[in-house]
């Protein structure tokens, strides 16, 4: 047994097959940066290749003074099915150049590996994107599940299509919600409990009723609505836009958003660790296939 001073392990060797070298698309149009997740074959499941590309895209949008507003969209049928827990491009054990002052995760033993990684790619990046100095708009169609919620929630405004739905089913993995725990800020507490405990789909219409979604549009009107909102914002003062979003973000902090999220992040990692100890799997014995099957069974029962 080591004394813990230098207990690193050999990084696990895993085959990674990326289906694209462009997991995120970027374009600027009329003062708006369009950042589009581009893994439609996997419903925009987020691997690290994608989260680092998203981070770079936000950086690019912030650096470009011609950009006044940022839109975040997903290519294909769905906004995002969540974190990548099973595509050939799953790259949990790959080393990336970190964007925060955090150590590399791949050679860390036990629970330290996921704890280090998720501080960087999930909690850390989501907080950066939420506080980005320009207004952001999420354009959500189809599924917005678990890790997908985190990307929609970090945006200042959310436009959803009539067929969009929101869901956080990770309790099935023994986990109390995704890493960016904004559930009880986005939804009234009892609704947040229902959302987490039952893990059912929430329609865009119901989410709109709680103020979690700003507008609902037809599927084919999503881009046009985003463009119209962006045009409205693009003619306003850059600093004014930044201050205005910061004002509301600050109120959320006064209500304890950041500290609540820190506390739950640690529960989240206690749950990962417990799963690892008891089942030898940090996801409670679940994988992408078993989660999708359970979801389908639940949706069938509900309909
Ligand atoms: Zn996690």
């Amino acid at each position: 047994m080591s004394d813990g001073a230098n207990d690193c392990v050999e990084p696990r060797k895993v085959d990674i097959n990326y289906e694209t070298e462009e997991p995120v698309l970027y374009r600027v149009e009329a003062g708006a940066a369009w950042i589009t997740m581009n893994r439609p074959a996997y419903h925009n499941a987020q691997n690290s290749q994608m989260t680092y590309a998203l981070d770079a895209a936000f950086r690019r949008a912030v650096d470009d003074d011609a950009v006044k507003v940022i839109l975040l969209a997903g290519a294909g049928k769905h906004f995002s099915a969540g974190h990548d827990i099973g595509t050939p491009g799953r790259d949990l054990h790959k080393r990336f150049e970190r964007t925060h002052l955090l150590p590399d995760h791949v050679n860390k033993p036990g629970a330290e590996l996921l704890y280090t990684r998720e501080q960087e790619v999930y909690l850390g990046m989501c907080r950066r994107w939420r506080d980005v100095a320009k207004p952001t708009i999420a354009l959500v169609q189809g599924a917005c599940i678990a890790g997908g919620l985190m990307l929609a929630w970090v945006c200042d405004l959310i436009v959803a299509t009539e067929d969009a739905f929101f869901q956080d089913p990770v309790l099935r993995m023994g986990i109390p919600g995704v890493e960016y725990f904004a559930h009880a800020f986005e939804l009234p507490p009892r609704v947040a409990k229902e959302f987490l405990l039952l893990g059912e789909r929430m329609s865009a219409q119901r989410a709109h009723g709680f103020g979690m979604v700003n507008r609902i549009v037809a599927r084919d009107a999503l881009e046009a609505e985003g463009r119209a909102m962006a045009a409205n914002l693009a003619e306003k003062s850059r600093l004014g836009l930044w201050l205005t979003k910061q004002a509301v973000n600050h109120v959320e902090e006064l209500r304890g958003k950041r500290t609540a999220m820190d506390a739950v992040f640690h529960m989240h990692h206690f749950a990962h660790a417990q799963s690892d100890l008891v089942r030898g799997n940090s996801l409670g014995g679940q994988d992408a296939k078993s989660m999708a099957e359970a979801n389908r069974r639940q949706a069938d029962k509900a309909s």
Side-chain angles (χ1 to χ4, degrees), residues 76-183:
K77 212 170 150 207
H78 300 288
F79 178 74
S80 174
H83 296 144
D84 189 339
I85 58 169
T87 82
R90 189 180 192 212
D91 51 8
L92 184 69
H93 296 281
K94 184 173 157 71
R95 174 173 284 137
F96 284 82
E97 198 60 49
R98 271 85 57 208
T99 61
H100 297 87
L101 287 175
L102 285 165
D104 187 23
H105 69 282
V106 299
N107 65 347
K108 299 301 180 293
E112 190 178 356
L113 182 145
L114 270 194
Y115 182 74
T116 309
R117 175 175 187 267
E118 295 193 350
Q119 288 270 7
E120 159 91 354
V121 297
Y122 297 153
L123 188 60
M125 284 191 193
C126 280
R127 280 178 164 165
R128 281 152 69 93
W129 303 337
R130 181 251 191 181
D131 290 330
V132 81
K134 302 184 180 186
T136 51
I137 305 170
L139 302 178
V140 179
Q141 81 281 19
C144 181
I145 302 176
L149 292 169
M150 301 174 32
L151 294 188
W153 284 345
V154 297
C155 291
D156 300 310
L157 302 168
I158 301 178
V159 183
T161 59
E162 292 155 342
D163 68 346
F165 67 89
F166 303 86
Q167 186 181 21
D168 189 349
V170 303
L171 175 53
R172 205 177 284 285
M173 304 170 172
I175 299 170
V178 285
E179 293 82 2
Y180 184 84
F181 191 84
H183 309 60

Side-chain angles (χ1 to χ4, degrees), residues 281-302:
N281 169 315
S282 60
L283 304 180
Q286 301 282 349
D287 58 21
K289 200 163 160 257
S290 66
M291 285 299 284
E293 274 166 13
N295 258 330
R296 218 169 293 129
R297 273 200 309 277
Q298 189 167 297
D300 286 348
K301 236 182 262 170

Side-chain angles (χ1 to χ4, degrees), residues 118 179 268-269 272:
E118 295 193 350
E179 293 82 2
H268 178 103
H269 278 276
H272 274 316

Side-chain angles (χ1 to χ4, degrees), residues 39-294:
R39 298 189 73 200
Y42 299 109
H43 308 319
N44 298 316
Q46 301 158 42
N47 54 8
S48 290
Q49 182 203 32
M50 179 188 279
T51 53
Y52 279 93
L54 281 170
D55 198 65
F58 276 105
R59 175 87 257 165
R60 202 169 155 188
V62 169
D63 284 348
D64 183 350
D65 286 334
V67 168
K68 299 284 284 292
V69 46
I70 300 167
L71 294 111
L72 178 61
K77 212 170 150 207
H78 300 288
F79 178 74
S80 174
H83 296 144
D84 189 339
I85 58 169
T87 82
R90 189 180 192 212
D91 51 8
L92 184 69
H93 296 281
K94 184 173 157 71
R95 174 173 284 137
F96 284 82
E97 198 60 49
R98 271 85 57 208
T99 61
H100 297 87
L101 287 175
L102 285 165
D104 187 23
H105 69 282
V106 299
N107 65 347
K108 299 301 180 293
E112 190 178 356
L113 182 145
L114 270 194
Y115 182 74
T116 309
R117 175 175 187 267
E118 295 193 350
Q119 288 270 7
E120 159 91 354
V121 297
Y122 297 153
L123 188 60
M125 284 191 193
C126 280
R127 280 178 164 165
R128 281 152 69 93
W129 303 337
R130 181 251 191 181
D131 290 330
V132 81
K134 302 184 180 186
T136 51
I137 305 170
L139 302 178
V140 179
Q141 81 281 19
C144 181
I145 302 176
L149 292 169
M150 301 174 32
L151 294 188
W153 284 345
V154 297
C155 291
D156 300 310
L157 302 168
I158 301 178
V159 183
T161 59
E162 292 155 342
D163 68 346
F165 67 89
F166 303 86
Q167 186 181 21
D168 189 349
V170 303
L171 175 53
R172 205 177 284 285
M173 304 170 172
I175 299 170
V178 285
E179 293 82 2
Y180 184 84
F181 191 84
H183 309 60
F185 285 86
E186 297 288 346
L187 297 166
R190 199 169 309 284
V191 179
K193 285 178 182 170
E194 175 194 338
F195 189 65
L196 287 158
L197 289 169
L198 300 185
E200 293 170 349
R201 294 177 174 192
M202 179 180 285
S203 67
Q205 291 74 14
R206 191 163 183 230
H208 184 261
F210 299 123
M212 198 186 102
V213 162
N214 295 95
R215 288 182 194 173
I216 301 179
V217 296
R219 179 73 182 77
D220 59 6
L222 185 61
E223 279 208 15
E225 185 63 32
R227 199 167 285 119
M229 276 181 155
N232 174 320
L233 294 166
E235 64 184 29
K236 293 179 173 141
S237 130
R238 179 175 62 221
L239 180 60
L241 290 169
W242 183 13
L243 295 176
T244 302
K245 71 172 279 181
Q246 274 199 119
V248 180
N249 284 1
H250 188 61
V251 170
E252 287 193 297
E253 301 307 4
L254 290 174
R255 290 178 181 155
K257 189 175 192 176
R258 189 178 178 91
T259 43
M261 214 175 262
D262 279 335
V264 183
F265 184 78
H266 289 82
M267 295 180 204
H268 178 103
H269 278 276
F270 173 57
H272 274 316
Q274 170 74 351
S275 266
D276 241 341
L277 283 168
V278 174
R279 314 195 56 148
N281 169 315
S282 60
L283 304 180
Q286 301 282 349
D287 58 21
K289 200 163 160 257
S290 66
M291 285 299 284
E293 274 166 13

